[in-house]
Amino acid sequence: VQVVESGGGSIQAGGSVRLTCAASGIDDRPYCMGWFRQGTGKEDEEREEVARIDEDGTIHYAEFAKGRFTISQDNAGTTLYLDMSSVKPEDTAMYTCAADNKWSCDLGDGYWGQGTQVTVSS
């Protein structure tokens, strides 16, 4: 199983960035997938969910993500995107993707990538 994120980097506040997560090797598509984040210096805190897509296509957003971030998945159900716009310095974090098969859809016990860093400067 592989879960690989890409697309992070350094951006100015108010700007936009797209994160991509490619998953493979998990039984049964479409995959249940989601984005989580953990801020710098917050390693003792749990990662917070940013957005996720359930096995039936239902989309969930954290309050801070609504209206600014858009999650989407490709037709094959194996690649996940996160379009972030109007970013703020407080969005600075390591963004990590998680994936699971559509039958259990338990991202906490699923497969996780290494993460991609997003740094927003003011």
Side-chain angles (χ1 to χ4, degrees), residues 70-112:
T70 301
I71 192 171
S72 59
Q73 193 173 34
D74 70 340
N75 290 336
T78 61
T79 301
L80 190 70
Y81 305 97
L82 184 69
D83 290 293
M84 302 169 59
S85 62
S86 302
V87 295
K88 306 173 183 179
E90 51 264 42
D91 292 322
T92 295
M94 179 69 76
Y95 286 75
T96 307
C97 175
D100 198 9
N101 68 69
K102 65 180 182 180
W103 303 114
S104 61
C105 198
D106 183 355
L107 294 178
D109 286 336
Y111 303 92
W112 292 76

Side-chain angles (χ1 to χ4, degrees), residues 18-57:
R18 165 174 269 205
L19 307 184
T20 300
C21 171
S24 61
I26 304 173
D27 292 337
D28 300 318
R29 304 172 186 178
Y31 300 153
C32 175
M33 301 179 76
W35 288 100
F36 296 75
R37 73 181 188 182
Q38 189 167 42
T40 303
K42 297 182 179 179
E43 288 76 12
D44 290 341
E45 298 179 9
E46 287 189 7
R47 279 179 288 207
E48 57 181 351
E49 181 177 297
V50 178
R52 74 175 192 271
I53 299 180
D54 290 341
E55 71 283 8
D56 62 358

